[in-house]
Amino acid sequence: MSEQSRPLPLSRRTALAALGGAAAVPLLSACGVGTGGGGDAAATANGAAEVTGSFDWKALSGESIKILQTPHPYQQAFQPLLKEFTELTGIEVQADLVAEADYFTKLNTELAGRTGAHDVFMTGAYFIWQYGPPGWMEDLAPWIQNSAATSDEYDFEDIYEGLRTSTRWDFEKGSALGTGGQWAIPWGFETNVVAYNKRVFDQRGIALPETFDDFIQVATDLTDRANNTYGVAFRGSKSWATIHPGFMTQFTREGGQDYTAEGTTYTAAMNSDAAVEFTRKWVDLAKNAGPTSWTTYDYPQCTGDLGNGNAMMVYDADSATYPKNKAGASKEAGNLAWYPGPAGPDGSYATNLWTWSLAMNAASKKKQAAWLFIQWATGKDAMNKATASTFADPTRASVFDGSFKQTLGGFPGYLETFEKVIDSTKIQFTPQTKFFETTEDWAVALQDIYSGADAKSRLDELAQANTTKINA
C-alpha cells in the first residue's frame, strides 16, 4: 500500500495478464535463486561466495547498473540520493521508470525472458510467491552473510522481524514465511490501522472502540446519509487489494485464517465459523456505515472521503491517511488521528502489512554491484535521509526511533499506534503461488454477499474452489 502529500502511489487495483506461459501477474494501477528456487544453472549461479577479502564500497568503482522502478513515494525519496551512492561507490546507476499501470507486465516479461536487462527491481512481498519459484530472483542471504560483500555497519537484524520474514520463503507448499531464501530486502512499508476524525470524536465525546462490535456500533452511530457522512471507509472493489488491508487485519484478529496446511495440502478456511461470522459483520458494516458506492472503493476514494469530512474513519494503510492531515492538504487537515483499531476477542492486535522491497534479478551479470546498491538503499544512512525528505514508514527500528519520530509531532496517535501493533505486524496470509487469483476471487465473493448472497453458502463455494486451485 503509502499515500503521502506528494504524488499518490499505486492503488493496487488488479488486472491479470498471462505472459509467455508464466503465471498470471497482477498489474498495479495508482499498493536469483539460491536456496529453494528453480531455474537453469546458468541463471542461478549466485556469485556471493566469489567475493573475498575486506569489504570495500569502492571495489567496483567504474561499474554501472540498471534498476527498474515505478513512480512511487519511496522511489521519489531515494531518487535525489542516487548521486550519493555513486560518490560512495563509483558505480553509476541508470534508474528506469515504468508507469504504474504497466510496471508488472514489463517486469514479468523481462524476468521470464532472463535477459538480465535490469539488475535490481522494486517488488511487493506477495510477488515473491510468483517470481521466486521459477528462478527469477536472487537469494540475497549469501550476500548478507558474506562479510566481504556486506559492510559491518549494515545490521540486517535492525530491519523489523515481520518484514524480514515477509520476504523469505522456501517455496514449499505448507511452509511458513521466514524459511528458505531471502528474496528481497524491505525498503518501505505500511501497517493497516484506523485513522479517524478526532474533531468529531471529541465534539461528540466518543471513546475509541476497543472491540469489533463496539467499532460497528460507533461507525453506525456516526452515519448520517442525509448529510452525506458515514462511519467508516474501507476497500470494496473486485481486487486482491480489497482483502489485504483492513479486512485481513481484522479478519485475523477475530480468529480467521485463510488456509490450513497439512503437509503439502492446503485447505481453504475462509468458510470457518469464525470467518463466516466476521464476514457477515464486515459486509453489514459496509452496507450500514460505509460509502454508498462501496464496491468501487480503493484507497484513494477512502482517504479522499476522510479528508473531505465525509468518512469519519478509514481502516487502511497508516501512511495512506497521513498526508490528509498536513496543512492545506484536505478540508480536515489537522483534525485527524490514529489508533490500532479494535482488538480481537483474545486481545490480538495482529496486523497485515504491505512492503515495497528491492530484489536482484537472478539473470543479472553485475550481481556484486547490484548487491552494493540494495545494501546502500536499505541501509541506515540512506533511509534516514529519505525519511527526512518524504514520508514512509521506515523498515528499520533505528530509523523509526531516530529521524522518523521527529516527523510525527502533529499526528496524534500515529506513534502510539505504530508501537502498539509493530510486534504483531507481518503478512497474515498463507504463502501460495495462486495468491492473486484466489484473493481476487475472495473479493468477488464479498461483493456477492454485499449484493444479497448467503454468506455461509458463498464462502463454502469460495473455499471449495480455492482449495482445488492451490492444490492443482
Side-chain angles (χ1 to χ4, degrees):
M1 81 248 145
S2 52
E3 293 78 0
Q4 283 72 50
S5 61
R6 50 234 196 275
L8 289 171
L10 312 182
S11 71
R12 307 188 181 103
R13 285 173 293 198
T14 303
L16 296 178
L19 297 173
V25 174
L27 311 182
L28 305 188
S29 164
C31 150
V33 146
T35 57
D40 60 76
T44 60
N46 185 278
E50 299 172 10
V51 182
T52 59
S54 300
F55 175 78
D56 181 5
W57 281 111
K58 294 284 190 181
L60 297 176
S61 182
E63 184 62 271
S64 64
I65 60 170
K66 295 175 68 176
I67 62 176
L68 186 66
Q69 300 176 305
T70 189
H72 187 279
Y74 302 159
Q75 170 268 322
Q76 292 158 6
F78 279 86
Q79 192 71 23
L81 303 179
L82 292 181
K83 63 181 182 297
E84 295 188 15
F85 173 74
T86 299
E87 292 170 0
L88 176 67
T89 64
I91 299 171
E92 296 289 337
V93 179
Q94 178 180 324
D96 293 333
L97 296 179
V98 176
E100 50 202 33
D102 302 320
Y103 180 72
F104 282 99
T105 301
K106 176 173 176 54
L107 179 59
N108 185 85
T109 303
E110 179 178 321
L111 294 177
R114 301 181 186 274
T115 63
H118 290 89
D119 304 288
V120 176
F121 58 92
M122 282 174 60
T123 188
Y126 305 134
F127 292 87
I128 293 171
W129 306 348
Q130 284 190 272
Y131 295 158
W136 298 349
M137 305 178 78
E138 187 78 6
D139 181 6
L140 300 178
W143 294 92
I144 297 169
Q145 295 160 4
N146 184 352
S147 61
T150 302
S151 168
D152 290 341
E153 299 177 354
Y154 183 59
D155 192 8
F156 184 57
E157 301 296 312
D158 182 45
I159 296 173
Y160 289 112
E161 181 181 7
L163 293 165
R164 298 196 311 270
T165 59
S166 75
T167 46
R168 185 171 189 134
W169 191 35
D170 63 8
F171 308 140
E172 296 294 331
K173 288 178 65 175
S175 291
L177 293 174
T179 58
Q182 188 72 51
W183 305 106
I185 307 296
W187 195 28
F189 82 110
E190 303 154 8
T191 66
N192 290 293
V193 294
V194 175
Y196 65 99
N197 191 315
K198 189 174 186 298
R199 173 183 61 82
V200 173
F201 272 62
D202 289 349
Q203 285 177 353
R204 297 180 58 170
I206 299 173
L208 294 173
E210 297 181 0
T211 70
F212 189 47
D213 285 342
D214 289 343
F215 186 85
I216 292 170
Q217 187 62 58
V218 167
T220 302
D221 291 345
L222 286 167
T223 300
D224 183 355
R225 301 294 187 193
N227 289 304
N228 196 28
T229 59
Y230 65 94
V232 60
F234 47 80
R235 306 185 205 195
S237 70
K238 290 182 179 179
S239 165
W240 66 271
T242 283
I243 302 299
H244 96 86
F247 179 88
M248 193 62 184
T249 293
Q250 199 63 40
F251 175 86
T252 305
R253 292 180 185 180
E254 299 296 314
Q257 198 174 354
D258 56 352
Y259 297 92
T260 59
E262 184 174 344
T264 60
T265 301
Y266 286 134
T267 300
M270 62 277 298
N271 64 334
S272 69
D273 290 345
V276 171
E277 179 181 6
F278 169 73
T279 303
R280 284 196 182 111
K281 289 181 177 180
W282 188 263
V283 172
D284 284 346
L285 179 61
K287 287 182 179 179
N288 299 326
T292 54
S293 53
W294 176 69
T295 56
T296 68
Y297 263 53
D298 289 313
Y299 83 78
Q301 292 79 24
C302 296
T303 59
D305 282 2
L306 179 71
N308 290 335
N310 303 114
M312 297 296 101
M313 297 184 285
V314 166
Y315 205 153
D316 207 286
D318 53 3
S319 50
T321 48
Y322 178 97
K324 299 300 181 182
N325 208 42
K326 289 192 170 183
S330 74
K331 176 183 173 184
E332 294 296 333
N335 295 328
L336 306 182
W338 288 261
Y339 94 106
D346 61 354
S348 170
Y349 281 103
T351 302
N352 197 44
L353 66 80
W354 167 268
T355 175
W356 275 113
S357 302
L358 293 177
M360 189 191 301
N361 188 342
S364 169
K365 297 176 177 61
K366 301 177 179 180
K367 292 181 179 180
Q368 185 180 355
W371 170 241
L372 286 173
F373 176 80
I374 294 173
Q375 180 182 169
W376 167 80
T378 61
K380 296 177 183 178
D381 185 57
M383 195 172 293
N384 265 309
K385 291 177 180 177
T387 297
S389 67
T390 191
F391 182 84
D393 289 345
T395 62
R396 289 180 167 273
S398 65
V399 177
F400 186 93
D401 291 336
S403 61
F404 186 73
K405 281 186 177 180
Q406 299 173 18
T407 70
L408 296 176
F411 299 84
Y414 196 102
L415 174 60
E416 294 81 2
T417 294
F418 186 96
E419 293 179 332
K420 182 74 173 180
V421 304
I422 186 59
D423 289 341
S424 303
T425 296
K426 64 178 184 178
I427 289 180
Q428 305 293 342
F429 291 99
T430 301
Q432 47 100 359
T433 58
K434 302 289 181 64
F435 170 81
F436 294 106
E437 178 184 353
T438 55
T439 310
E440 185 167 289
D441 290 345
W442 200 349
V444 171
L446 292 188
Q447 286 204 0
D448 290 345
I449 296 167
Y450 184 85
S451 298
D454 176 71
K456 180 66 167 68
S457 299
R458 185 63 181 87
L459 291 173
D460 283 344
E461 176 187 330
L462 173 69
Q464 181 178 4
N466 281 358
T467 297
T468 299
K469 284 180 180 180
I470 67 174
N471 290 304

